[in-house]
Amino acid sequence: MKIQKSKRSGSRDRLSELPDSLIFNIFELLPMNDVVKTTILSKRWKDLWTTVPFLNFTDSSFRYDPDISSARNFVNRALILWKGIKILKFTIDFRSRYGHYTSLLTDDLNVWVRWAKQKEVEEIHLRIKDDYEPYQLSECLYSCSSLKVLVLSLNEISLWSIPGNIKCDRLKSLTIDSLYCDFNQKFISQALRGSPKLEVFNLTLHERGSVFIQSSSLKKLSIRKPRYETDKELKIVTPNLETLEILGSPYRRCVLSGSSSLTDVTLRFQEHKSWYNSIEHENLSAASCEHDCGETLSQILPSIRHVEKLKLSPWCIEVLERTNKQHLLLRPYFIVREPLKFAGRRVSCFDDRVKRIMPSSRPSHS
């Protein structure tokens, strides 16, 4: 009897017995072309992919094709066959190969984004690699009542032209990660004003000019400025901010207002000699960069003495020493080590020891 029961059990289609929620959790971890391939695993799975609320399109599975047309055609076909009601997460990740993707995909990207908006999408992740063509953000995203998370990771993005006011009532997280970002202060102001529930704002800056961040809803703010520009000023007015990260090159002037809620601050200013050795920045010098770093630290550190965790890069510590400003650190802090690469991604590491610097002492850089 036990043997017969085992045979009957072995003949069951266990994949078909899995609940939809578990199957969708599996699908969420896979690129869409692999999700489609699961139709051969079970009769019940044959059309299940057409209702999955997580659509993750990546060109990595098409890397052997000579151009982008196969990946583009796959996305268009999948969207036509999709029969679901609502999209929770929509991802376009075309970064695995070099190419002029933006110029080839601009119209397609806008069609795909509008399609996702019609399906009441909650998360949109656009990751495109193109060394030549900027992507003009689709106008439909300036007003999207369902959107909660927006991630724009592109080599170059244009956010200069704003058709009317930005209105994203449910947006909680906004990330603009771009090597070259063409926009003005008006975009930042309207994005913050039009997103009253925004809690997380990650911004990478490359353009010239000052930046003003004002929001009563923000809880986490991360600003990265890879290039050193002498005319850069940063003003932050965020009364409910809990976590602040300022990364990259220093600012000429930095104003931090309403910082009483801050508990975690990272200041990872870095010295890059290429900034002032290149022809483009031939008038810059190591001294001016160091001066700006010292001024920025002098303006920020006195206003964050109450934070629970302060993380500083080694160069920040060196600048404080050379400028005799150790007195600004009469409290414990962590030293931020240089980012490491793990699984192809840069990961920031922190010393596991809490170090203390006093006016009459010198910090250890072991």
Side-chain angles (χ1 to χ4, degrees), residues 46-311:
K46 183 178 180 181
D47 296 320
L48 194 59
W49 74 269
T50 62
T51 61
V52 63
F54 306 100
L55 302 183
N56 179 20
F57 296 101
T58 173
D59 67 341
S60 60
S61 299
F62 301 93
R63 60 183 178 274
Y64 299 113
D65 290 346
D67 54 43
I68 197 62
S69 59
S70 296
R72 171 203 283 154
N73 294 336
F74 176 79
V75 176
N76 288 328
R77 183 64 176 167
L79 298 189
I80 291 174
L81 296 176
W82 194 81
K83 304 174 183 176
I85 300 175
K86 182 181 178 66
I87 297 293
L88 296 180
K89 186 176 181 180
F90 184 76
T91 300
I92 300 292
D93 191 341
F94 286 1
R95 296 177 299 173
S96 66
R97 299 175 299 173
Y98 287 99
H100 310 315
Y101 281 1
T102 305
S103 58
L104 296 173
L105 291 174
T106 296
D107 293 338
D108 297 273
L109 284 172
N110 291 335
V111 170
W112 299 341
V113 168
R114 285 195 295 269
W115 179 90
K117 180 182 178 181
Q118 292 174 356
K119 304 302 179 181
E120 299 181 348
V121 63
E122 293 189 1
E123 290 191 31
I124 291 182
H125 299 249
L126 297 182
R127 299 183 174 96
I128 308 293
K129 176 184 289 186
D130 192 320
D131 295 332
Y132 301 96
E133 296 291 334
Y135 171 65
Q136 177 67 49
L137 186 64
S138 177
E139 295 181 5
C140 70
L141 286 181
Y142 288 130
S143 179
C144 187
S145 59
S146 63
L147 195 61
K148 294 182 179 180
V149 177
L150 177 60
V151 176
L152 303 173
S153 181
L154 308 102
N155 274 31
E156 186 169 355
I157 183 172
S158 179
L159 301 170
W160 192 269
S161 177
I162 304 177
N165 294 325
I166 297 176
K167 187 175 182 181
C168 296
D169 296 333
R170 302 179 66 188
L171 189 65
K172 290 187 176 181
S173 178
L174 174 61
T175 297
I176 300 176
D177 182 7
S178 176
L179 290 180
Y180 299 97
C181 191
D182 177 20
F183 66 90
N184 56 12
Q185 177 61 42
K186 182 180 178 181
F187 174 83
I188 297 180
S189 300
Q190 288 199 15
L192 294 175
R193 186 166 56 249
S195 308
K197 295 184 179 180
L198 190 67
E199 297 181 355
V200 179
F201 189 21
N202 303 308
L203 185 62
T204 298
L205 299 169
H206 274 263
E207 86 298 339
R208 298 173 180 269
S210 300
V211 179
F212 179 30
I213 305 292
Q214 182 175 17
S215 171
S216 60
S217 62
L218 277 184
K219 294 184 178 180
K220 181 177 181 179
L221 175 62
S222 177
I223 297 179
R224 177 175 174 264
K225 182 165 71 73
R227 294 172 55 185
Y228 175 55
E229 303 288 354
T230 58
D231 60 347
K232 280 287 189 176
E233 294 186 5
L234 175 65
K235 184 176 182 180
I236 301 173
V237 181
T238 49
N240 295 306
L241 195 66
E242 298 174 359
T243 301
L244 173 63
E245 296 178 342
I246 306 179
L247 316 174
S249 63
Y251 291 82
R252 173 58 56 88
R253 183 170 180 266
C254 188
V255 177
L256 180 61
S257 178
S259 60
S260 59
S261 298
L262 276 173
T263 59
D264 192 341
V265 176
T266 299
L267 303 176
R268 196 172 72 204
F269 298 131
Q270 295 175 324
E271 179 187 27
H272 295 291
K273 294 183 179 180
S274 60
W275 285 336
Y276 40 80
N277 286 342
S278 65
I279 297 177
E280 180 181 0
H281 301 106
E282 60 184 358
N283 294 325
L284 302 182
S285 65
S288 63
C289 188
E290 178 178 304
H291 173 269
D292 286 354
C293 181
E295 288 299 307
T296 300
L297 292 173
S298 299
Q299 293 160 14
I300 293 180
L301 291 177
S303 62
I304 58 172
R305 295 183 185 277
H306 60 283
V307 301
E308 298 175 1
K309 187 180 295 185
L310 171 62
K311 298 177 283 289

Side-chain angles (χ1 to χ4, degrees), residues 332-348:
Y333 66 90
F334 287 95
I335 288 183
V336 185
R337 295 185 293 184
E338 293 302 312
L340 302 176
K341 282 193 173 182
F342 178 76
R345 297 183 178 182
R346 292 169 67 85
V347 180
S348 298

Side-chain angles (χ1 to χ4, degrees), residues 25-35 38 54-56:
N25 286 340
I26 297 173
F27 286 173
E28 184 181 5
L29 302 175
L30 300 174
M32 201 60 193
N33 52 339
D34 288 341
V35 172
T38 63
F54 306 100
L55 302 183
N56 179 20

